[in-house]
Amino acid sequence: GAPPPAQRRGPERPDKFVRHGRLLALADVEGGGSEGRMLAVVQLLMSFLCDMLRPGDGIGDAPRPVLSEHYLSRRDLGPALGGRLRVFVQEVCTFDTRAQVASVERQGELRATVTVALRPWARPQGKIVVKSSGVELRLEGGAVVQLDRHKEEYQVKLPSILFKDPLSDSPSCDFLGRLEVMCQQSELEATVEFRSFSTVRGFVQAMRPKGGLLPKGTKVLHTISGRWDRQIVTTPRKSASGMFVPGNERLLFDAQAGFPKDQRVYKHWDVRRIGPVQMPRLWSVFHDALMSIDLEKCANASSARELAAGLKDELPRFFGLRFDEHDPVVHPPSDSEDEDEEAEEARVEMPACIQAEKEVGGRLQYQLSYALHFFPDEVKDVKEKGKVPRVPTPVPEEGEQEEQEDSSPPTPERDERGGSQLQAGEDASSGDGARAQERTEAGEERPGTEREIPGGTSTEHQLGAVDSQEQQPQLELLYSSDEDID
């Protein structure tokens, strides 16, 4: 017969938080020195940018109107050397400019953190000669990546997103500008320039000293090229005084590996009908910026102003919101003409809380935080799980229960069987102590002492009728439960 559905399905694909967490862990353990860690940080940022334009496959992956939302979660990244790695995630989407991610004290060793803070705003552009228009969505703000074990901090500036002809039947989008990463501790900087047709060109080089001359020797250490929606490769310099040799490229990032066709980067988003996306909270911020364009900041072209007016009229309908429009409310027929006039003048408005933010020029802002923690094995088993191992107590036999009810002192015969209730290493009288000393001199093992076995030591109690091998599966069962939050 056919296998059960659980066996027919392949391994579950990791979500965006797990992917980003693993790339952050890769940057933390990168063995290529400061240059290798810089390239790993660039790889993490390229994955974040691609997930902005990647379709989603979950139930809650559709953007929605948000006044304020704070999402907290935890992902288990799997075993590491001597323990496990976990990443704690926080997402904040709010109008409050003072809101920040929560600072939570957790067990384990903090390895690395990522903080993204964006407050996008949109500016329409138009062309006078060719009837084409677009909207540049600028990601105001940036990101900070901290690698605590290496004591390095990376300052990041993100590129813009260009939506071409967003109200037409064939819209498209692409990145515009540069991705800039700087690290003062390693004195390295990386620049990736986004060009037409989704191509990228960039490099990793030594930072230029402020107010000084160019550093001596080779400055560019790695070149970056490819397509951000497919593959990006890097070419290291062969030697300090050598050139970049063709054929020595290394894969830096692959935007399609591990994704089915319906999950690959999509560059034809219709902002009027946004479907499921990988980052729905970030798209809620994008949508708010696109429908809150200031007409005074538009480019000096009629097409740009028409586009801004069209976005302001079309986008609120997607969320069921209408700006400054009258809704013909239908009421039962009435004899009073005043009531009919009031019905015609009824206005469908946004909720009062969102409308108050719009009246003062408020814009949604977005924050994303990753905290990579390492949990050693003992911390994971006892402290993190909050469970103390319980050793099962052996049940005495029927004959032993009868002897326990009797108040007579234990006899040597019961001591040899293991049914005595005395503590390990204790004797009831001096005669018992003498007999125990004779057993020790004869080479017999005294109950309660440690003896060496292959692989470690074990302690034998007088109530030792249960073999230690039989207890081991029960102890493993206590540690087998996992309480990760999805």
Side-chain angles (χ1 to χ4, degrees), residues 39-100:
L39 292 175
V41 171
V42 173
Q43 182 183 10
L44 169 63
L45 296 173
M46 292 303 305
S47 176
F48 175 72
L49 292 176
C50 287
D51 285 341
M52 289 184 184
L53 303 180
R54 194 184 300 277
D57 56 351
I59 299 176
D61 288 347
R64 55 192 180 276
V66 174
L67 174 65
S68 181
E69 184 177 4
H70 193 167
Y71 173 82
L72 297 95
S73 181
R74 179 183 65 184
R75 296 294 189 272
D76 190 0
L77 303 182
L81 184 60
R84 299 185 69 86
L85 287 175
R86 288 181 177 177
V87 61
F88 295 85
V89 186
Q90 294 189 53
E91 269 189 307
V92 179
C93 182
T94 179
F95 281 97
D96 188 3
T97 57
R98 298 170 297 177
Q100 295 181 357

Short mmCIF file of all heavy atoms in Angstrom, two decimals, residues 39-100:
data_model
loop_
_atom_site.label_atom_id
_atom_site.label_comp_id
_atom_site.label_asym_id
_atom_site.label_seq_id
_atom_site.Cartn_x
_atom_site.Cartn_y
_atom_site.Cartn_z
N LEU A 39 32.45 38.30 4.56
CA LEU A 39 31.70 37.66 3.48
C LEU A 39 30.48 36.93 4.03
O LEU A 39 29.42 36.90 3.38
CB LEU A 39 32.60 36.71 2.70
CG LEU A 39 33.72 37.36 1.89
CD1 LEU A 39 34.62 36.30 1.28
CD2 LEU A 39 33.15 38.25 0.79
N ALA A 40 30.60 36.31 5.21
CA ALA A 40 29.46 35.63 5.81
C ALA A 40 28.36 36.62 6.19
O ALA A 40 27.17 36.32 6.05
CB ALA A 40 29.91 34.83 7.03
N VAL A 41 28.73 37.80 6.66
CA VAL A 41 27.73 38.83 6.97
C VAL A 41 27.04 39.30 5.70
O VAL A 41 25.82 39.51 5.67
CB VAL A 41 28.39 40.00 7.72
CG1 VAL A 41 27.42 41.17 7.87
CG2 VAL A 41 28.87 39.55 9.10
N VAL A 42 27.79 39.47 4.60
CA VAL A 42 27.19 39.84 3.33
C VAL A 42 26.21 38.77 2.87
O VAL A 42 25.12 39.06 2.34
CB VAL A 42 28.28 40.09 2.27
CG1 VAL A 42 27.68 40.33 0.90
CG2 VAL A 42 29.14 41.29 2.67
N GLN A 43 26.56 37.51 3.04
CA GLN A 43 25.66 36.41 2.68
C GLN A 43 24.37 36.47 3.49
O GLN A 43 23.27 36.27 2.95
CB GLN A 43 26.37 35.08 2.91
CG GLN A 43 25.55 33.86 2.53
CD GLN A 43 26.28 32.56 2.83
OE1 GLN A 43 27.32 32.57 3.49
NE2 GLN A 43 25.74 31.46 2.37
N LEU A 44 24.46 36.76 4.78
CA LEU A 44 23.27 36.90 5.61
C LEU A 44 22.39 38.04 5.13
O LEU A 44 21.15 37.91 5.04
CB LEU A 44 23.70 37.12 7.06
CG LEU A 44 22.61 37.56 8.06
CD1 LEU A 44 21.54 36.49 8.18
CD2 LEU A 44 23.23 37.86 9.42
N LEU A 45 22.98 39.17 4.79
CA LEU A 45 22.19 40.32 4.34
C LEU A 45 21.55 40.07 2.98
O LEU A 45 20.42 40.52 2.72
CB LEU A 45 23.09 41.56 4.29
CG LEU A 45 23.67 42.00 5.64
CD1 LEU A 45 24.67 43.12 5.45
CD2 LEU A 45 22.56 42.44 6.59
N MET A 46 22.23 39.36 2.09
CA MET A 46 21.62 39.03 0.80
C MET A 46 20.43 38.09 0.98
O MET A 46 19.42 38.22 0.27
CB MET A 46 22.66 38.39 -0.11
CG MET A 46 23.78 39.33 -0.55
SD MET A 46 23.18 40.82 -1.39
CE MET A 46 22.19 40.13 -2.69
N SER A 47 20.51 37.18 1.93
CA SER A 47 19.36 36.31 2.21
C SER A 47 18.19 37.12 2.74
O SER A 47 17.03 36.88 2.38
CB SER A 47 19.77 35.23 3.21
OG SER A 47 18.67 34.43 3.56
N PHE A 48 18.46 38.11 3.58
CA PHE A 48 17.40 38.97 4.11
C PHE A 48 16.75 39.79 3.00
O PHE A 48 15.52 39.92 2.95
CB PHE A 48 17.99 39.88 5.20
CG PHE A 48 17.02 40.89 5.74
CD1 PHE A 48 15.98 40.51 6.55
CD2 PHE A 48 17.17 42.23 5.44
CE1 PHE A 48 15.09 41.44 7.05
CE2 PHE A 48 16.30 43.18 5.93
CZ PHE A 48 15.25 42.78 6.74
N LEU A 49 17.55 40.32 2.08
CA LEU A 49 16.99 41.11 0.98
C LEU A 49 16.15 40.24 0.05
O LEU A 49 15.08 40.66 -0.41
CB LEU A 49 18.12 41.78 0.20
CG LEU A 49 18.89 42.89 0.94
CD1 LEU A 49 20.05 43.40 0.08
CD2 LEU A 49 17.97 44.05 1.31
N CYS A 50 16.61 39.04 -0.25
CA CYS A 50 15.84 38.17 -1.15
C CYS A 50 14.52 37.75 -0.51
O CYS A 50 13.51 37.61 -1.21
CB CYS A 50 16.67 36.95 -1.53
SG CYS A 50 18.01 37.28 -2.69
N ASP A 51 14.51 37.53 0.80
CA ASP A 51 13.27 37.16 1.46
C ASP A 51 12.25 38.29 1.46
O ASP A 51 11.06 38.03 1.66
CB ASP A 51 13.55 36.71 2.90
CG ASP A 51 14.17 35.33 2.96
OD1 ASP A 51 14.05 34.58 1.96
OD2 ASP A 51 14.81 34.99 3.98
N MET A 52 12.67 39.52 1.23
CA MET A 52 11.72 40.62 1.09
C MET A 52 10.81 40.41 -0.11
O MET A 52 9.62 40.77 -0.07
CB MET A 52 12.46 41.95 0.94
CG MET A 52 13.16 42.44 2.18
SD MET A 52 13.89 44.08 1.87
CE MET A 52 14.73 44.37 3.41
N LEU A 53 11.34 39.83 -1.18
CA LEU A 53 10.59 39.65 -2.42
C LEU A 53 10.30 38.18 -2.69
O LEU A 53 10.07 37.80 -3.84
CB LEU A 53 11.35 40.26 -3.61
CG LEU A 53 11.72 41.74 -3.49
CD1 LEU A 53 12.47 42.22 -4.72
CD2 LEU A 53 10.47 42.59 -3.27
N ARG A 54 10.29 37.36 -1.67
CA ARG A 54 10.03 35.93 -1.84
C ARG A 54 8.60 35.63 -1.40
O ARG A 54 8.17 36.06 -0.32
CB ARG A 54 11.01 35.11 -1.02
CG ARG A 54 11.04 33.62 -1.38
CD ARG A 54 11.97 32.86 -0.46
NE ARG A 54 13.33 33.32 -0.52
CZ ARG A 54 14.22 32.95 -1.44
NH1 ARG A 54 13.83 32.11 -2.39
NH2 ARG A 54 15.44 33.41 -1.43
N PRO A 55 7.84 34.86 -2.19
CA PRO A 55 6.47 34.51 -1.78
C PRO A 55 6.47 33.64 -0.54
O PRO A 55 7.43 32.92 -0.24
CB PRO A 55 5.91 33.75 -2.99
CG PRO A 55 6.81 34.12 -4.13
CD PRO A 55 8.16 34.38 -3.54
N GLY A 56 5.37 33.70 0.20
CA GLY A 56 5.20 32.90 1.40
C GLY A 56 4.30 31.71 1.15
O GLY A 56 3.58 31.64 0.15
N ASP A 57 4.33 30.78 2.08
CA ASP A 57 3.51 29.57 1.96
C ASP A 57 2.74 29.27 3.22
O ASP A 57 2.17 28.19 3.35
CB ASP A 57 4.40 28.37 1.62
CG ASP A 57 5.51 28.16 2.65
OD1 ASP A 57 5.67 29.04 3.51
OD2 ASP A 57 6.21 27.14 2.58
N GLY A 58 2.68 30.19 4.15
CA GLY A 58 1.97 29.97 5.40
C GLY A 58 0.61 30.64 5.41
O GLY A 58 0.27 31.47 4.55
N ILE A 59 -0.18 30.27 6.44
CA ILE A 59 -1.53 30.84 6.54
C ILE A 59 -1.48 32.31 6.91
O ILE A 59 -2.23 33.13 6.37
CB ILE A 59 -2.34 30.05 7.59
CG1 ILE A 59 -2.46 28.59 7.16
CG2 ILE A 59 -3.72 30.67 7.81
CD1 ILE A 59 -3.17 27.72 8.18
N GLY A 60 -0.59 32.69 7.80
CA GLY A 60 -0.50 34.08 8.24
C GLY A 60 0.53 34.90 7.52
O GLY A 60 1.07 35.85 8.09
N ASP A 61 0.85 34.56 6.26
CA ASP A 61 1.89 35.25 5.51
C ASP A 61 1.37 36.41 4.67
O ASP A 61 2.11 36.95 3.86
CB ASP A 61 2.64 34.27 4.59
CG ASP A 61 3.53 33.33 5.38
OD1 ASP A 61 3.76 33.61 6.57
OD2 ASP A 61 3.99 32.33 4.81
N ALA A 62 0.11 36.78 4.82
CA ALA A 62 -0.44 37.92 4.08
C ALA A 62 -0.34 39.18 4.93
O ALA A 62 -0.67 39.15 6.12
CB ALA A 62 -1.89 37.66 3.69
N PRO A 63 0.13 40.29 4.37
CA PRO A 63 0.19 41.54 5.15
C PRO A 63 -1.20 42.04 5.50
O PRO A 63 -2.18 41.76 4.79
CB PRO A 63 0.93 42.50 4.21
CG PRO A 63 0.72 41.94 2.85
CD PRO A 63 0.62 40.46 2.99
N ARG A 64 -1.30 42.78 6.57
CA ARG A 64 -2.58 43.26 7.07
C ARG A 64 -2.38 44.60 7.77
O ARG A 64 -1.26 44.95 8.13
CB ARG A 64 -3.19 42.25 8.04
CG ARG A 64 -2.27 41.91 9.19
CD ARG A 64 -2.77 40.70 9.96
NE ARG A 64 -1.89 40.37 11.07
CZ ARG A 64 -0.80 39.62 10.97
NH1 ARG A 64 -0.46 39.14 9.78
NH2 ARG A 64 -0.06 39.36 12.01
N PRO A 65 -3.45 45.36 7.97
CA PRO A 65 -3.30 46.64 8.68
C PRO A 65 -2.84 46.42 10.11
O PRO A 65 -3.33 45.54 10.81
CB PRO A 65 -4.71 47.24 8.64
CG PRO A 65 -5.42 46.51 7.56
CD PRO A 65 -4.83 45.15 7.50
N VAL A 66 -1.87 47.21 10.53
CA VAL A 66 -1.27 47.04 11.84
C VAL A 66 -1.17 48.40 12.51
O VAL A 66 -0.74 49.37 11.89
CB VAL A 66 0.13 46.39 11.73
CG1 VAL A 66 0.80 46.35 13.10
CG2 VAL A 66 0.03 44.98 11.17
N LEU A 67 -1.60 48.47 13.76
CA LEU A 67 -1.35 49.66 14.58
C LEU A 67 -0.09 49.45 15.42
O LEU A 67 0.79 50.30 15.45
CB LEU A 67 -2.55 49.95 15.48
CG LEU A 67 -2.34 51.09 16.50
CD1 LEU A 67 -2.15 52.40 15.76
CD2 LEU A 67 -3.51 51.16 17.46
N SER A 68 0.01 48.29 16.06
CA SER A 68 1.19 47.94 16.83
C SER A 68 1.17 46.44 17.06
O SER A 68 0.15 45.89 17.49
CB SER A 68 1.22 48.69 18.16
OG SER A 68 2.40 48.35 18.89
N GLU A 69 2.27 45.79 16.75
CA GLU A 69 2.37 44.35 16.90
C GLU A 69 3.79 43.99 17.31
O GLU A 69 4.76 44.51 16.76
CB GLU A 69 2.01 43.64 15.60
CG GLU A 69 1.99 42.12 15.72
CD GLU A 69 1.57 41.44 14.43
OE1 GLU A 69 1.36 42.16 13.43
OE2 GLU A 69 1.44 40.21 14.41
N HIS A 70 3.90 43.09 18.29
CA HIS A 70 5.19 42.63 18.79
C HIS A 70 5.18 41.11 18.78
O HIS A 70 4.41 40.47 19.50
CB HIS A 70 5.44 43.15 20.21
CG HIS A 70 6.86 42.99 20.65
ND1 HIS A 70 7.37 43.61 21.78
CD2 HIS A 70 7.91 42.30 20.14
CE1 HIS A 70 8.64 43.29 21.94
NE2 HIS A 70 8.98 42.47 20.95
N TYR A 71 6.05 40.53 17.98
CA TYR A 71 6.12 39.07 17.80
C TYR A 71 7.41 38.56 18.42
O TYR A 71 8.49 39.09 18.17
CB TYR A 71 6.08 38.73 16.30
CG TYR A 71 6.32 37.27 15.99
CD1 TYR A 71 5.30 36.34 16.08
CD2 TYR A 71 7.58 36.82 15.58
CE1 TYR A 71 5.51 35.01 15.79
CE2 TYR A 71 7.81 35.49 15.29
CZ TYR A 71 6.77 34.58 15.39
OH TYR A 71 6.99 33.27 15.10
N LEU A 72 7.29 37.51 19.25
CA LEU A 72 8.44 36.88 19.88
C LEU A 72 8.38 35.38 19.60
O LEU A 72 7.31 34.77 19.66
CB LEU A 72 8.46 37.11 21.40
CG LEU A 72 8.61 38.55 21.89
CD1 LEU A 72 7.24 39.14 22.19
CD2 LEU A 72 9.47 38.61 23.14
N SER A 73 9.54 34.81 19.31
CA SER A 73 9.60 33.39 19.01
C SER A 73 11.01 32.88 19.29
O SER A 73 11.92 33.65 19.60
CB SER A 73 9.22 33.13 17.54
OG SER A 73 9.25 31.75 17.26
N ARG A 74 11.15 31.57 19.16
CA ARG A 74 12.44 30.91 19.39
C ARG A 74 12.57 29.77 18.40
O ARG A 74 11.61 29.06 18.11
CB ARG A 74 12.51 30.38 20.83
CG ARG A 74 13.80 29.65 21.17
CD ARG A 74 13.75 29.09 22.58
NE ARG A 74 12.76 28.05 22.72
CZ ARG A 74 12.48 27.46 23.88
NH1 ARG A 74 13.10 27.83 24.98
NH2 ARG A 74 11.55 26.52 23.94
N ARG A 75 13.78 29.60 17.88
CA ARG A 75 14.05 28.52 16.92
C ARG A 75 15.27 27.73 17.39
O ARG A 75 16.28 28.31 17.82
CB ARG A 75 14.31 29.08 15.52
CG ARG A 75 13.12 29.80 14.89
CD ARG A 75 11.98 28.85 14.60
NE ARG A 75 10.94 29.50 13.81
CZ ARG A 75 9.93 30.19 14.32
NH1 ARG A 75 9.84 30.33 15.64
NH2 ARG A 75 9.03 30.74 13.53
N ASP A 76 15.15 26.41 17.29
CA ASP A 76 16.26 25.52 17.62
C ASP A 76 17.04 25.27 16.35
O ASP A 76 16.50 24.72 15.38
CB ASP A 76 15.72 24.22 18.22
CG ASP A 76 16.83 23.37 18.80
OD1 ASP A 76 18.01 23.77 18.76
OD2 ASP A 76 16.52 22.27 19.30
N LEU A 77 18.31 25.63 16.32
CA LEU A 77 19.15 25.49 15.13
C LEU A 77 19.86 24.15 15.07
O LEU A 77 20.52 23.87 14.07
CB LEU A 77 20.18 26.62 15.07
CG LEU A 77 19.62 28.05 15.09
CD1 LEU A 77 20.74 29.06 14.98
CD2 LEU A 77 18.61 28.25 13.97
N GLY A 78 19.75 23.34 16.10
CA GLY A 78 20.38 22.02 16.07
C GLY A 78 21.59 21.94 16.97
O GLY A 78 22.00 22.90 17.64
N PRO A 79 22.21 20.76 17.00
CA PRO A 79 23.36 20.56 17.89
C PRO A 79 24.60 21.28 17.41
O PRO A 79 24.80 21.47 16.21
CB PRO A 79 23.55 19.03 17.88
CG PRO A 79 23.00 18.60 16.56
CD PRO A 79 21.86 19.53 16.27
N ALA A 80 25.42 21.70 18.35
CA ALA A 80 26.72 22.30 18.09
C ALA A 80 27.75 21.55 18.93
O ALA A 80 27.41 20.61 19.66
CB ALA A 80 26.73 23.79 18.41
N LEU A 81 28.98 21.93 18.83
CA LEU A 81 30.05 21.27 19.56
C LEU A 81 29.88 21.51 21.06
O LEU A 81 30.08 22.62 21.54
CB LEU A 81 31.42 21.77 19.10
CG LEU A 81 32.64 21.08 19.73
CD1 LEU A 81 32.63 19.60 19.41
CD2 LEU A 81 33.93 21.73 19.25
N GLY A 82 29.45 20.47 21.79
CA GLY A 82 29.28 20.59 23.23
C GLY A 82 27.94 21.13 23.68
O GLY A 82 27.77 21.38 24.87
N GLY A 83 26.99 21.29 22.79
CA GLY A 83 25.69 21.81 23.19
C GLY A 83 24.79 22.02 22.00
O GLY A 83 24.87 21.32 20.99
N ARG A 84 23.92 23.02 22.10
CA ARG A 84 22.97 23.34 21.04
C ARG A 84 22.94 24.85 20.84
O ARG A 84 23.26 25.62 21.73
CB ARG A 84 21.56 22.85 21.38
CG ARG A 84 21.45 21.35 21.56
CD ARG A 84 20.01 20.93 21.77
NE ARG A 84 19.23 21.09 20.55
CZ ARG A 84 19.15 20.17 19.59
NH1 ARG A 84 19.84 19.04 19.70
NH2 ARG A 84 18.41 20.38 18.53
N LEU A 85 22.51 25.24 19.63
CA LEU A 85 22.36 26.65 19.27
C LEU A 85 20.89 26.97 19.11
O LEU A 85 20.14 26.20 18.49
CB LEU A 85 23.11 26.96 17.97
CG LEU A 85 24.64 27.01 18.04
CD1 LEU A 85 25.22 27.22 16.66
CD2 LEU A 85 25.12 28.10 18.97
N ARG A 86 20.50 28.09 19.66
CA ARG A 86 19.13 28.57 19.52
C ARG A 86 19.15 30.05 19.22
O ARG A 86 20.02 30.78 19.71
CB ARG A 86 18.32 28.31 20.80
CG ARG A 86 17.97 26.85 21.02
CD ARG A 86 17.17 26.64 22.26
NE ARG A 86 16.80 25.25 22.42
CZ ARG A 86 16.14 24.75 23.46
NH1 ARG A 86 15.78 25.56 24.44
NH2 ARG A 86 15.85 23.46 23.53
N VAL A 87 18.18 30.48 18.42
CA VAL A 87 18.07 31.89 18.06
C VAL A 87 16.72 32.39 18.56
O VAL A 87 15.69 31.74 18.37
CB VAL A 87 18.23 32.10 16.54
CG1 VAL A 87 17.16 31.38 15.76
CG2 VAL A 87 18.25 33.58 16.20
N PHE A 88 16.74 33.52 19.23
CA PHE A 88 15.54 34.17 19.75
C PHE A 88 15.19 35.34 18.82
O PHE A 88 16.05 36.17 18.51
CB PHE A 88 15.75 34.66 21.18
CG PHE A 88 15.96 33.53 22.16
CD1 PHE A 88 17.23 32.99 22.36
CD2 PHE A 88 14.90 33.01 22.87
CE1 PHE A 88 17.43 31.97 23.25
CE2 PHE A 88 15.09 31.98 23.77
CZ PHE A 88 16.35 31.45 23.96
N VAL A 89 13.94 35.37 18.39
CA VAL A 89 13.49 36.30 17.34
C VAL A 89 12.47 37.27 17.93
O VAL A 89 11.62 36.88 18.73
CB VAL A 89 12.87 35.54 16.16
CG1 VAL A 89 12.54 36.50 15.01
CG2 VAL A 89 13.79 34.44 15.68
N GLN A 90 12.57 38.53 17.52
CA GLN A 90 11.57 39.54 17.85
C GLN A 90 11.30 40.39 16.62
O GLN A 90 12.23 40.79 15.92
CB GLN A 90 12.04 40.45 19.00
CG GLN A 90 12.20 39.74 20.33
CD GLN A 90 12.46 40.73 21.45
OE1 GLN A 90 11.70 41.68 21.65
NE2 GLN A 90 13.53 40.51 22.19
N GLU A 91 10.03 40.63 16.37
CA GLU A 91 9.59 41.52 15.29
C GLU A 91 8.64 42.56 15.88
O GLU A 91 7.70 42.19 16.60
CB GLU A 91 8.89 40.74 14.18
CG GLU A 91 9.80 40.26 13.08
CD GLU A 91 9.04 39.70 11.91
OE1 GLU A 91 8.19 38.81 12.13
OE2 GLU A 91 9.28 40.12 10.77
N VAL A 92 8.88 43.82 15.54
CA VAL A 92 8.06 44.91 16.04
C VAL A 92 7.59 45.72 14.83
O VAL A 92 8.40 46.10 13.98
CB VAL A 92 8.82 45.82 17.02
CG1 VAL A 92 7.94 46.97 17.49
CG2 VAL A 92 9.31 45.01 18.21
N CYS A 93 6.29 45.96 14.77
CA CYS A 93 5.70 46.79 13.72
C CYS A 93 4.75 47.77 14.40
O CYS A 93 3.70 47.36 14.93
CB CYS A 93 4.96 45.91 12.71
SG CYS A 93 4.24 46.80 11.32
N THR A 94 5.08 49.06 14.41
CA THR A 94 4.32 50.02 15.20
C THR A 94 4.52 51.43 14.65
O THR A 94 5.46 51.70 13.90
CB THR A 94 4.77 49.96 16.68
OG1 THR A 94 4.03 50.91 17.43
CG2 THR A 94 6.24 50.26 16.80
N PHE A 95 3.60 52.31 15.06
CA PHE A 95 3.72 53.74 14.74
C PHE A 95 4.57 54.48 15.76
O PHE A 95 5.01 55.60 15.49
CB PHE A 95 2.33 54.40 14.69
CG PHE A 95 1.58 54.15 13.42
CD1 PHE A 95 0.64 53.14 13.34
CD2 PHE A 95 1.82 54.92 12.29
CE1 PHE A 95 -0.06 52.91 12.18
CE2 PHE A 95 1.13 54.69 11.12
CZ PHE A 95 0.19 53.68 11.06
N ASP A 96 4.79 53.89 16.91
CA ASP A 96 5.53 54.54 17.99
C ASP A 96 7.02 54.55 17.64
O ASP A 96 7.65 53.49 17.53
CB ASP A 96 5.28 53.81 19.30
CG ASP A 96 5.86 54.57 20.50
OD1 ASP A 96 6.40 55.68 20.30
OD2 ASP A 96 5.79 54.03 21.62
N THR A 97 7.57 55.74 17.50
CA THR A 97 8.99 55.85 17.16
C THR A 97 9.91 55.51 18.32
O THR A 97 11.10 55.29 18.12
CB THR A 97 9.30 57.28 16.68
OG1 THR A 97 8.93 58.21 17.71
CG2 THR A 97 8.53 57.59 15.40
N ARG A 98 9.37 55.45 19.53
CA ARG A 98 10.20 55.14 20.69
C ARG A 98 10.20 53.65 21.01
O ARG A 98 10.91 53.22 21.92
CB ARG A 98 9.70 55.91 21.91
CG ARG A 98 9.77 57.43 21.77
CD ARG A 98 9.04 58.11 22.90
NE ARG A 98 7.61 57.78 22.88
CZ ARG A 98 6.73 58.20 23.80
NH1 ARG A 98 7.16 58.95 24.82
NH2 ARG A 98 5.46 57.86 23.71
N ALA A 99 9.42 52.86 20.30
CA ALA A 99 9.33 51.43 20.59
C ALA A 99 10.63 50.73 20.20
O ALA A 99 11.24 51.05 19.18
CB ALA A 99 8.16 50.81 19.84
N GLN A 100 11.03 49.79 21.01
CA GLN A 100 12.24 49.00 20.77
C GLN A 100 11.97 47.56 21.13
O GLN A 100 11.01 47.24 21.83
CB GLN A 100 13.42 49.53 21.59
CG GLN A 100 13.88 50.93 21.21
CD GLN A 100 15.06 51.39 22.03
OE1 GLN A 100 15.52 50.68 22.93
NE2 GLN A 100 15.58 52.56 21.73
#
